[in-house]
Short mmCIF file of all heavy atoms in Angstrom, two decimals:
data_model
loop_
_atom_site.label_atom_id
_atom_site.label_comp_id
_atom_site.label_asym_id
_atom_site.label_seq_id
_atom_site.Cartn_x
_atom_site.Cartn_y
_atom_site.Cartn_z
N VAL W 36 116.21 89.74 106.51
CA VAL W 36 115.96 90.73 105.45
C VAL W 36 115.15 90.09 104.34
O VAL W 36 114.17 90.68 103.86
CB VAL W 36 117.28 91.33 104.91
CG1 VAL W 36 117.01 92.23 103.71
CG2 VAL W 36 118.01 92.09 106.00
N GLU W 37 115.52 88.90 103.94
CA GLU W 37 114.78 88.18 102.88
C GLU W 37 113.34 87.95 103.31
O GLU W 37 112.42 88.10 102.50
CB GLU W 37 115.46 86.85 102.55
CG GLU W 37 114.73 86.02 101.53
CD GLU W 37 114.59 86.69 100.17
OE1 GLU W 37 115.50 87.42 99.75
OE2 GLU W 37 113.54 86.48 99.51
N MET W 38 113.12 87.61 104.57
CA MET W 38 111.76 87.40 105.06
C MET W 38 110.94 88.69 104.96
O MET W 38 109.78 88.66 104.54
CB MET W 38 111.77 86.90 106.51
CG MET W 38 112.23 85.47 106.64
SD MET W 38 112.01 84.73 108.28
CE MET W 38 112.79 85.89 109.36
N VAL W 39 111.54 89.81 105.31
CA VAL W 39 110.83 91.10 105.25
C VAL W 39 110.47 91.43 103.80
O VAL W 39 109.32 91.75 103.50
CB VAL W 39 111.67 92.24 105.87
CG1 VAL W 39 111.08 93.61 105.55
CG2 VAL W 39 111.80 92.05 107.38
N ILE W 40 111.45 91.34 102.91
CA ILE W 40 111.21 91.68 101.50
C ILE W 40 110.16 90.76 100.89
O ILE W 40 109.22 91.21 100.23
CB ILE W 40 112.53 91.63 100.69
CG1 ILE W 40 113.54 92.64 101.22
CG2 ILE W 40 112.26 91.85 99.20
CD1 ILE W 40 113.10 94.08 101.24
N THR W 41 110.29 89.46 101.13
CA THR W 41 109.34 88.49 100.58
C THR W 41 107.94 88.74 101.13
O THR W 41 106.95 88.69 100.39
CB THR W 41 109.80 87.06 100.89
OG1 THR W 41 111.08 86.86 100.27
CG2 THR W 41 108.81 86.02 100.38
N HIS W 42 107.83 89.03 102.42
CA HIS W 42 106.53 89.29 103.03
C HIS W 42 105.87 90.52 102.40
O HIS W 42 104.68 90.49 102.07
CB HIS W 42 106.69 89.48 104.54
CG HIS W 42 105.41 89.79 105.23
ND1 HIS W 42 104.51 88.81 105.58
CD2 HIS W 42 104.85 90.97 105.59
CE1 HIS W 42 103.46 89.37 106.16
NE2 HIS W 42 103.65 90.68 106.17
N ILE W 43 106.64 91.59 102.24
CA ILE W 43 106.08 92.82 101.67
C ILE W 43 105.66 92.61 100.22
O ILE W 43 104.57 93.02 99.81
CB ILE W 43 107.07 94.00 101.81
CG1 ILE W 43 107.19 94.39 103.29
CG2 ILE W 43 106.63 95.19 100.96
CD1 ILE W 43 108.27 95.41 103.59
N VAL W 44 106.49 91.96 99.43
CA VAL W 44 106.16 91.69 98.03
C VAL W 44 104.91 90.82 97.95
O VAL W 44 104.02 91.06 97.13
CB VAL W 44 107.35 91.07 97.28
CG1 VAL W 44 106.94 90.55 95.91
CG2 VAL W 44 108.47 92.10 97.15
N ASN W 45 104.81 89.82 98.82
CA ASN W 45 103.62 88.96 98.84
C ASN W 45 102.39 89.78 99.21
O ASN W 45 101.33 89.63 98.59
CB ASN W 45 103.81 87.80 99.82
CG ASN W 45 102.63 86.86 99.79
OD1 ASN W 45 102.26 86.33 98.74
ND2 ASN W 45 102.01 86.66 100.95
N TYR W 46 102.51 90.66 100.19
CA TYR W 46 101.39 91.53 100.56
C TYR W 46 100.93 92.35 99.35
O TYR W 46 99.74 92.42 99.05
CB TYR W 46 101.76 92.46 101.72
CG TYR W 46 100.76 93.56 101.88
CD1 TYR W 46 99.53 93.31 102.50
CD2 TYR W 46 100.98 94.82 101.34
CE1 TYR W 46 98.57 94.31 102.59
CE2 TYR W 46 100.03 95.82 101.42
CZ TYR W 46 98.82 95.57 102.05
OH TYR W 46 97.87 96.55 102.12
N ILE W 47 101.88 92.96 98.66
CA ILE W 47 101.55 93.80 97.50
C ILE W 47 100.85 92.96 96.42
O ILE W 47 99.81 93.35 95.90
CB ILE W 47 102.81 94.49 96.94
CG1 ILE W 47 103.35 95.51 97.95
CG2 ILE W 47 102.53 95.15 95.60
CD1 ILE W 47 104.77 95.97 97.69
N ASN W 48 101.43 91.82 96.11
CA ASN W 48 100.89 90.98 95.04
C ASN W 48 99.51 90.41 95.35
O ASN W 48 98.75 90.12 94.44
CB ASN W 48 101.87 89.85 94.71
CG ASN W 48 103.06 90.34 93.93
OD1 ASN W 48 103.00 91.35 93.23
ND2 ASN W 48 104.18 89.65 94.07
N THR W 49 99.18 90.25 96.63
CA THR W 49 97.89 89.68 96.99
C THR W 49 96.86 90.72 97.42
O THR W 49 95.68 90.39 97.54
CB THR W 49 98.04 88.63 98.11
OG1 THR W 49 98.63 89.23 99.26
CG2 THR W 49 98.88 87.45 97.64
N SER W 50 97.29 91.96 97.66
CA SER W 50 96.38 92.98 98.19
C SER W 50 96.13 94.16 97.27
O SER W 50 95.16 94.89 97.46
CB SER W 50 96.91 93.51 99.52
OG SER W 50 97.08 92.46 100.43
N ILE W 51 97.00 94.36 96.30
CA ILE W 51 96.86 95.50 95.41
C ILE W 51 96.60 94.96 94.01
O ILE W 51 97.42 94.23 93.47
CB ILE W 51 98.12 96.40 95.44
CG1 ILE W 51 98.32 96.93 96.87
CG2 ILE W 51 98.00 97.54 94.44
CD1 ILE W 51 99.60 97.69 97.09
N ASP W 52 95.45 95.33 93.46
CA ASP W 52 95.03 94.73 92.19
C ASP W 52 95.47 95.52 90.96
O ASP W 52 95.03 95.23 89.85
CB ASP W 52 93.53 94.50 92.17
CG ASP W 52 92.72 95.78 92.32
OD1 ASP W 52 93.33 96.85 92.53
OD2 ASP W 52 91.48 95.70 92.24
N LYS W 53 96.32 96.51 91.15
CA LYS W 53 96.83 97.29 90.00
C LYS W 53 98.34 97.09 89.89
O LYS W 53 99.01 96.81 90.88
CB LYS W 53 96.51 98.77 90.19
CG LYS W 53 95.03 99.06 90.17
CD LYS W 53 94.76 100.53 90.28
CE LYS W 53 93.25 100.77 90.20
NZ LYS W 53 92.90 102.15 90.38
N LYS W 54 98.84 97.27 88.67
CA LYS W 54 100.28 97.17 88.45
C LYS W 54 100.98 98.34 89.14
O LYS W 54 100.55 99.48 89.03
CB LYS W 54 100.59 97.20 86.96
CG LYS W 54 102.07 97.09 86.64
CD LYS W 54 102.35 97.30 85.17
CE LYS W 54 103.81 97.19 84.81
NZ LYS W 54 104.73 97.91 85.67
N ILE W 55 102.05 98.04 89.84
CA ILE W 55 102.85 99.08 90.49
C ILE W 55 103.89 99.56 89.47
O ILE W 55 104.68 98.77 88.97
CB ILE W 55 103.57 98.53 91.75
CG1 ILE W 55 102.60 97.85 92.71
CG2 ILE W 55 104.39 99.62 92.41
CD1 ILE W 55 101.49 98.71 93.21
N ASP W 56 103.87 100.84 89.19
CA ASP W 56 104.83 101.41 88.25
C ASP W 56 106.10 101.91 88.95
O ASP W 56 107.19 101.81 88.41
CB ASP W 56 104.19 102.58 87.48
CG ASP W 56 102.98 102.15 86.68
OD1 ASP W 56 103.12 101.20 85.87
OD2 ASP W 56 101.90 102.74 86.87
N VAL W 57 105.91 102.49 90.14
CA VAL W 57 107.02 103.11 90.86
C VAL W 57 106.92 102.79 92.35
O VAL W 57 105.85 102.92 92.93
CB VAL W 57 107.04 104.65 90.68
CG1 VAL W 57 108.25 105.27 91.38
CG2 VAL W 57 107.03 105.04 89.20
N VAL W 58 108.05 102.40 92.92
CA VAL W 58 108.17 102.27 94.37
C VAL W 58 108.95 103.49 94.84
O VAL W 58 110.05 103.76 94.36
CB VAL W 58 108.90 100.98 94.78
CG1 VAL W 58 109.16 100.94 96.28
CG2 VAL W 58 108.11 99.75 94.33
N VAL W 59 108.36 104.24 95.76
CA VAL W 59 109.01 105.42 96.32
C VAL W 59 109.53 105.07 97.71
O VAL W 59 108.77 104.58 98.55
CB VAL W 59 108.02 106.61 96.40
CG1 VAL W 59 108.57 107.74 97.24
CG2 VAL W 59 107.70 107.11 94.99
N GLY W 60 110.81 105.30 97.92
CA GLY W 60 111.43 105.06 99.23
C GLY W 60 111.75 106.38 99.89
O GLY W 60 112.25 107.30 99.25
N LEU W 61 111.42 106.48 101.18
CA LEU W 61 111.65 107.72 101.91
C LEU W 61 113.04 107.74 102.55
O LEU W 61 113.53 106.73 103.05
CB LEU W 61 110.59 107.91 103.00
CG LEU W 61 109.13 107.90 102.53
CD1 LEU W 61 108.21 108.31 103.66
CD2 LEU W 61 108.93 108.77 101.32
N ASP W 62 113.63 108.92 102.52
CA ASP W 62 114.96 109.18 103.08
C ASP W 62 114.95 108.85 104.57
O ASP W 62 114.11 109.35 105.31
CB ASP W 62 115.28 110.65 102.87
CG ASP W 62 116.74 111.01 103.03
OD1 ASP W 62 117.47 110.26 103.70
OD2 ASP W 62 117.14 112.05 102.50
N ALA W 63 115.80 108.02 104.99
CA ALA W 63 116.83 107.29 104.28
C ALA W 63 116.59 105.79 104.36
O ALA W 63 117.04 105.04 103.51
CB ALA W 63 118.22 107.60 104.86
N ARG W 64 115.89 105.33 105.39
CA ARG W 64 115.76 103.88 105.54
C ARG W 64 114.80 103.26 104.53
O ARG W 64 114.86 102.05 104.28
CB ARG W 64 115.42 103.53 106.99
CG ARG W 64 116.65 103.79 107.89
CD ARG W 64 116.37 103.63 109.35
NE ARG W 64 115.38 104.55 109.87
CZ ARG W 64 115.64 105.80 110.27
NH1 ARG W 64 116.86 106.28 110.20
NH2 ARG W 64 114.68 106.56 110.74
N GLY W 65 113.96 104.05 103.91
CA GLY W 65 113.14 103.54 102.82
C GLY W 65 113.98 103.14 101.61
O GLY W 65 113.55 102.36 100.76
N PHE W 66 115.23 103.65 101.57
CA PHE W 66 116.15 103.30 100.49
C PHE W 66 116.68 101.87 100.66
O PHE W 66 117.17 101.28 99.72
CB PHE W 66 117.35 104.24 100.46
CG PHE W 66 117.03 105.69 100.24
CD1 PHE W 66 118.01 106.64 100.44
CD2 PHE W 66 115.77 106.13 99.86
CE1 PHE W 66 117.74 107.99 100.25
CE2 PHE W 66 115.49 107.47 99.68
CZ PHE W 66 116.48 108.40 99.87
N LEU W 67 116.60 101.35 101.87
CA LEU W 67 117.11 100.00 102.12
C LEU W 67 116.17 98.93 101.58
O LEU W 67 116.62 97.89 101.13
CB LEU W 67 117.32 99.79 103.63
CG LEU W 67 118.30 100.75 104.29
CD1 LEU W 67 118.27 100.59 105.81
CD2 LEU W 67 119.70 100.54 103.75
N PHE W 68 114.87 99.19 101.67
CA PHE W 68 113.87 98.22 101.23
C PHE W 68 113.34 98.52 99.83
O PHE W 68 113.05 97.61 99.06
CB PHE W 68 112.69 98.18 102.21
CG PHE W 68 113.07 97.78 103.60
CD1 PHE W 68 113.02 98.70 104.64
CD2 PHE W 68 113.50 96.50 103.88
CE1 PHE W 68 113.36 98.33 105.93
CE2 PHE W 68 113.84 96.12 105.17
CZ PHE W 68 113.78 97.05 106.20
N GLY W 69 113.16 99.79 99.52
CA GLY W 69 112.50 100.20 98.28
C GLY W 69 113.07 99.62 97.01
O GLY W 69 112.32 99.05 96.20
N PRO W 70 114.38 99.73 96.77
CA PRO W 70 114.92 99.20 95.51
C PRO W 70 114.76 97.68 95.38
O PRO W 70 114.49 97.18 94.30
CB PRO W 70 116.40 99.58 95.57
CG PRO W 70 116.45 100.76 96.48
CD PRO W 70 115.39 100.51 97.51
N LEU W 71 114.90 96.95 96.49
CA LEU W 71 114.73 95.49 96.44
C LEU W 71 113.29 95.12 96.10
O LEU W 71 113.05 94.21 95.30
CB LEU W 71 115.12 94.88 97.79
CG LEU W 71 116.58 95.06 98.20
CD1 LEU W 71 116.79 94.60 99.64
CD2 LEU W 71 117.50 94.33 97.25
N ILE W 72 112.36 95.83 96.70
CA ILE W 72 110.94 95.57 96.43
C ILE W 72 110.60 95.96 94.98
O ILE W 72 109.92 95.22 94.28
CB ILE W 72 110.06 96.30 97.46
CG1 ILE W 72 110.28 95.65 98.84
CG2 ILE W 72 108.60 96.27 97.05
CD1 ILE W 72 109.76 96.45 100.00
N ALA W 73 111.10 97.11 94.55
CA ALA W 73 110.86 97.55 93.16
C ALA W 73 111.38 96.51 92.17
O ALA W 73 110.69 96.17 91.20
CB ALA W 73 111.52 98.90 92.92
N MET W 74 112.56 96.01 92.41
CA MET W 74 113.16 95.02 91.52
C MET W 74 112.26 93.78 91.43
O MET W 74 111.98 93.28 90.35
CB MET W 74 114.55 94.63 92.02
CG MET W 74 115.24 93.59 91.18
SD MET W 74 116.84 93.12 91.87
CE MET W 74 116.32 92.29 93.37
N ARG W 75 111.77 93.31 92.57
CA ARG W 75 110.93 92.11 92.58
C ARG W 75 109.59 92.35 91.89
O ARG W 75 108.99 91.42 91.37
CB ARG W 75 110.68 91.64 94.01
CG ARG W 75 111.97 91.26 94.71
CD ARG W 75 112.00 89.83 95.14
NE ARG W 75 113.25 89.53 95.78
CZ ARG W 75 113.36 89.06 97.00
NH1 ARG W 75 112.28 88.81 97.72
NH2 ARG W 75 114.54 88.80 97.50
N LEU W 76 109.12 93.59 91.91
CA LEU W 76 107.83 93.92 91.28
C LEU W 76 107.98 94.31 89.81
O LEU W 76 106.98 94.51 89.12
CB LEU W 76 107.16 95.08 92.02
CG LEU W 76 106.74 94.82 93.47
CD1 LEU W 76 106.27 96.11 94.12
CD2 LEU W 76 105.67 93.74 93.54
N GLY W 77 109.22 94.46 89.34
CA GLY W 77 109.44 94.93 87.98
C GLY W 77 109.05 96.39 87.83
O GLY W 77 108.61 96.83 86.78
N ALA W 78 109.23 97.15 88.90
CA ALA W 78 108.85 98.57 88.93
C ALA W 78 110.10 99.45 89.04
O ALA W 78 111.18 98.97 89.38
CB ALA W 78 107.94 98.83 90.14
N ALA W 79 109.91 100.72 88.76
CA ALA W 79 110.98 101.70 88.94
C ALA W 79 111.09 102.04 90.43
O ALA W 79 110.16 101.81 91.20
CB ALA W 79 110.66 102.97 88.15
N PHE W 80 112.23 102.60 90.81
CA PHE W 80 112.42 103.09 92.18
C PHE W 80 112.69 104.58 92.11
O PHE W 80 113.46 105.05 91.26
CB PHE W 80 113.59 102.40 92.88
CG PHE W 80 113.88 103.00 94.23
CD1 PHE W 80 113.05 102.74 95.31
CD2 PHE W 80 114.94 103.87 94.41
CE1 PHE W 80 113.29 103.31 96.55
CE2 PHE W 80 115.19 104.45 95.64
CZ PHE W 80 114.36 104.17 96.72
N ALA W 81 112.06 105.34 93.00
CA ALA W 81 112.29 106.79 93.08
C ALA W 81 112.50 107.18 94.54
O ALA W 81 111.68 106.85 95.39
CB ALA W 81 111.10 107.55 92.50
N PRO W 82 113.61 107.87 94.81
CA PRO W 82 113.85 108.31 96.18
C PRO W 82 113.18 109.65 96.49
O PRO W 82 113.07 110.52 95.62
CB PRO W 82 115.37 108.46 96.24
CG PRO W 82 115.75 108.85 94.85
CD PRO W 82 114.76 108.12 93.95
N VAL W 83 112.74 109.78 97.73
CA VAL W 83 112.33 111.07 98.28
C VAL W 83 113.43 111.42 99.27
O VAL W 83 113.70 110.65 100.19
CB VAL W 83 110.96 110.98 98.98
CG1 VAL W 83 110.68 112.24 99.79
CG2 VAL W 83 109.85 110.77 97.96
N ARG W 84 114.06 112.58 99.06
CA ARG W 84 115.22 112.95 99.86
C ARG W 84 115.01 114.28 100.55
O ARG W 84 114.16 115.07 100.15
CB ARG W 84 116.47 113.06 98.98
CG ARG W 84 116.79 111.79 98.27
CD ARG W 84 118.14 111.20 98.43
NE ARG W 84 118.85 111.39 99.65
CZ ARG W 84 120.17 111.51 99.71
NH1 ARG W 84 120.89 111.48 98.61
NH2 ARG W 84 120.78 111.64 100.87
N LYS W 85 115.84 114.52 101.54
CA LYS W 85 115.84 115.83 102.17
C LYS W 85 116.39 116.84 101.17
O LYS W 85 117.14 116.50 100.25
CB LYS W 85 116.67 115.79 103.44
CG LYS W 85 115.97 114.88 104.45
CD LYS W 85 116.48 115.04 105.84
CE LYS W 85 115.58 114.25 106.77
NZ LYS W 85 116.26 113.27 107.54
#
Side-chain angles (χ1 to χ4, degrees):
V36 173
E37 177 62 35
M38 288 190 308
V39 168
I40 299 302
T41 299
H42 179 82
I43 291 172
V44 169
N45 184 56
Y46 166 78
I47 293 164
N48 286 334
T49 59
S50 303
I51 299 173
D52 61 355
K53 295 183 178 176
K54 180 187 181 313
I55 307 301
D56 299 306
V57 182
V58 173
V59 168
L61 304 189
D62 196 337
R64 289 174 298 276
F66 300 168
L67 300 172
F68 299 111
L71 297 171
I72 292 166
M74 179 183 67
R75 298 241 179 122
L76 295 172
F80 174 75
V83 168
R84 301 235 30 213
K85 294 196 171 122

